[in-house]
Amino acid sequence: MPSPLTRVPPLVRAREAGGYAYLLAWVETRAGLRARITWVEQYREEPYQWRWEVAEVPATRVTQMAGQSYQGVPRERRVSD
């Protein structure tokens, strides 16, 4: 049976992630455009366990990378911010 996962989000560089992160969405807010990103980190206390981190940061704090396609990244509008 084929995987329901049809594509992997594009990579960006982000200081919050300590390097590379996946770009999940562009989020339009009243305060400006934000980027929702995710990355994997190891627990310091238990080095064989991993966790996913997710953050929303100003779009200016992520750097797009050559060779990645950003056309399919979802755009969300948040009017409550």
Side-chain angles (χ1 to χ4, degrees):
M1 182 170 156
S3 169
L5 181 63
T6 58
R7 68 178 182 86
V8 175
L11 288 173
V12 293
R13 288 194 59 91
R15 179 174 289 162
E16 288 78 5
Y20 300 109
Y22 291 107
L23 176 61
L24 300 178
W26 296 114
V27 182
E28 298 175 30
T29 70
R30 289 184 182 165
L33 187 63
R34 299 184 65 81
R36 183 174 306 123
I37 59 174
T38 188
W39 65 96
V40 177
E41 286 189 2
Q42 272 186 315
Y43 283 97
R44 289 180 189 252
E45 302 80 26
E46 298 187 36
Y48 299 107
Q49 291 190 13
W50 299 83
R51 68 176 179 230
W52 282 98
E53 296 289 341
V54 178
E56 226 176 72
V57 300
T60 57
R61 296 193 53 162
V62 298
T63 305
Q64 295 184 11
M65 299 173 53
Q68 298 292 300
S69 175
Y70 298 94
Q71 291 174 287
V73 175
R75 279 195 171 263
E76 300 174 10
R77 287 208 173 156
R78 186 178 307 140
V79 293
S80 61
D81 284 352

